[in-house]
Amino acid sequence: MLINCVVYEDGTKLADIPVSEIREHISLPGCFVWVALQDATPEELDELQREFGLHPLAVEDARHGHQRPKVEEYGASLFVVLQLLESSGTADAVSRLGELNVFVGKNYLVSVRNHSERGFLEVRERCEREPGLLRNGPGFVLYALMDAVVDRYFPVIDAFEVELETIEQQIFTQGAARASIKRLYGLKQRLTVLKHAIAPLLEGAAKLHGGRVPQICLGSQEYFRDVVDHLDRINASIDAIRDTIATAIQVNLSMVTIEDGEVVKRLAAWASLFAVCTAFAGIWGMNFEHMPELKWRYGYAAALTLIAGTCGYLYYRFRKAGWL
């Protein structure tokens, strides 16, 4: 679905135009066209390929989707893939994964958003409010899109940190070990999704501000460096959260071991009490003719008293030692 198709000249918006008029505007000096689509159909991609001369391999990637983040050069044009993560205030937001494909040339930019309801209207408004920067052409628009996508990663990181803090507070709650392990592993899996969105993009974005910078991005290198700085911060936060999760898992497993040890101690203590009763009963239950105190009138009461007293003393000692 076509969202909008706008032509700009010297950093200023001229008009919204139909796709059929693209070719006559991109031939004008100082003009470039910015086309935005959502969940584009193969027919729409084919039409834009004819209008802008998009590279067929890039169009094929955009058509099939599910690409890893990357920045690829095709002659004088760029093809950029970004993964979209939308935060709903919880760490579960990572499961809501979309994709943004961007085709950039000297006098055009085509953005194709897939599987995401949240658009980039604020990016267009920002660019139009800064005509001095928009004079840099499609390169600056590419930066603005990348910056908006990267900024959306920060709330997801915050949600991860909040979720991890909540789990850490429950680790020392008795009986919560199984639930904590399950939540920690779920958090680790979702964090891996974010890592796969960040790491390749960090590598690709580094090409846009240092070394042999593509011609399209000349004049906007320092802005791309800002994007790389943000990606570095996010990547460092991901690594820190992963280390914390690993530590939390080890602590949780240690708590499980400690709880199992407490159970074993309780069982051993109760087994000892019953063993005393069994030992005394076994001794006095032997059917020998010459048993000590066999004919004693108070022998039964004395035996019960001795058994109860011994068990009581052992219970006291176990209780004092924390076994019961």
Side-chain angles (χ1 to χ4, degrees), residues 35 45 66 90 191-192 203:
V35 182
L45 289 175
H66 304 292
T90 66
L191 189 66
T192 301
E203 179 183 351

Side-chain angles (χ1 to χ4, degrees), residues 18-31:
V19 175
S20 58
E21 297 181 10
I22 287 177
R23 192 164 300 178
E24 62 183 78
H25 283 88
I26 61 176
S27 61
L28 300 175
C31 290

Side-chain angles (χ1 to χ4, degrees), residues 123-275:
V123 175
R124 189 179 293 273
E125 293 174 348
R126 172 192 174 183
C127 292
E128 292 177 354
R129 287 196 306 267
E130 300 175 328
L133 296 175
L134 193 56
R135 288 192 183 96
N136 292 321
F140 177 75
V141 178
L142 174 62
Y143 150 74
L145 287 170
M146 293 180 66
D147 186 55
V149 171
V150 172
D151 284 346
R152 295 181 185 182
Y153 294 153
F154 284 103
V156 179
I157 286 289
D158 293 339
F160 277 130
E161 292 175 344
V162 171
E163 178 76 7
L164 183 56
E165 289 174 0
T166 303
I167 297 174
E168 285 182 313
Q169 293 173 357
Q170 296 178 352
I171 285 179
F172 298 99
T173 302
Q174 189 173 7
R178 182 181 295 273
S180 296
I181 283 287
K182 185 176 180 180
R183 293 179 65 185
L184 284 170
Y185 272 100
L187 188 63
K188 187 176 181 180
Q189 289 175 343
R190 295 192 297 273
L191 189 66
T192 301
V193 175
L194 180 58
K195 182 72 173 181
H196 290 166
I198 294 296
L201 182 59
L202 179 59
E203 179 183 351
K207 303 176 184 177
L208 303 180
H209 78 87
R212 188 187 63 82
V213 179
Q215 185 70 26
I216 300 169
C217 301
L218 292 178
S220 302
Q221 299 100 308
E222 61 271 21
Y223 294 98
F224 287 107
R225 184 171 62 246
D226 182 65
V227 172
V228 172
D229 288 341
H230 288 176
L231 289 171
D232 273 329
R233 286 171 50 194
I234 296 173
N235 194 52
S237 297
I238 291 174
D239 291 337
I241 294 174
R242 293 177 72 176
D243 291 341
T244 305
I245 289 176
T247 302
I249 290 175
Q250 292 300 320
V251 171
N252 196 77
L253 292 176
S254 298
M255 292 299 300
V256 171
T257 303
I258 292 173
E259 290 181 4
D260 289 345
E262 293 293 328
V263 172
V264 171
K265 287 193 297 184
R266 292 190 187 95
L267 292 175
W270 285 113
S272 299
L273 294 177
F274 284 106

Side-chain angles (χ1 to χ4, degrees), residues 73-142:
E73 289 188 67
Y74 291 97
S77 63
L78 289 175
F79 176 62
V80 181
V81 178
L82 307 168
Q83 289 187 352
L84 305 176
L85 302 178
E86 300 178 6
S87 175
S88 60
T90 66
D92 293 332
V94 179
S95 61
R96 302 166 60 189
L97 189 65
E99 188 173 288
L100 179 67
N101 300 300
V102 186
F103 303 85
V104 191
K106 180 181 178 181
N107 48 12
Y108 68 85
L109 183 139
V110 179
S111 60
V112 183
R113 172 167 48 95
N114 297 318
H115 312 298
S116 177
E117 295 299 323
R118 184 178 177 184
F120 293 94
L121 180 61
E122 72 279 4
V123 175
R124 189 179 293 273
E125 293 174 348
R126 172 192 174 183
C127 292
E128 292 177 354
R129 287 196 306 267
E130 300 175 328
L133 296 175
L134 193 56
R135 288 192 183 96
N136 292 321
F140 177 75
V141 178
L142 174 62

Side-chain angles (χ1 to χ4, degrees), residues 273 276-277 304-320 324:
L273 294 177
V276 169
C277 299
L304 291 180
T305 302
L306 181 60
I307 292 174
T310 304
C311 291
Y313 175 73
L314 289 176
Y315 181 84
Y316 165 75
R317 295 295 297 176
F318 287 139
R319 187 78 173 179
K320 187 176 181 180
L324 290 175

Side-chain angles (χ1 to χ4, degrees), residues 280-302:
F280 282 125
I283 291 173
W284 285 314
M286 293 185 296
N287 298 317
F288 294 146
E289 182 178 354
H290 301 288
M291 284 288 295
E293 305 171 355
L294 189 62
K295 302 297 184 179
W296 189 26
R297 180 179 179 183
Y298 301 104
Y300 181 71

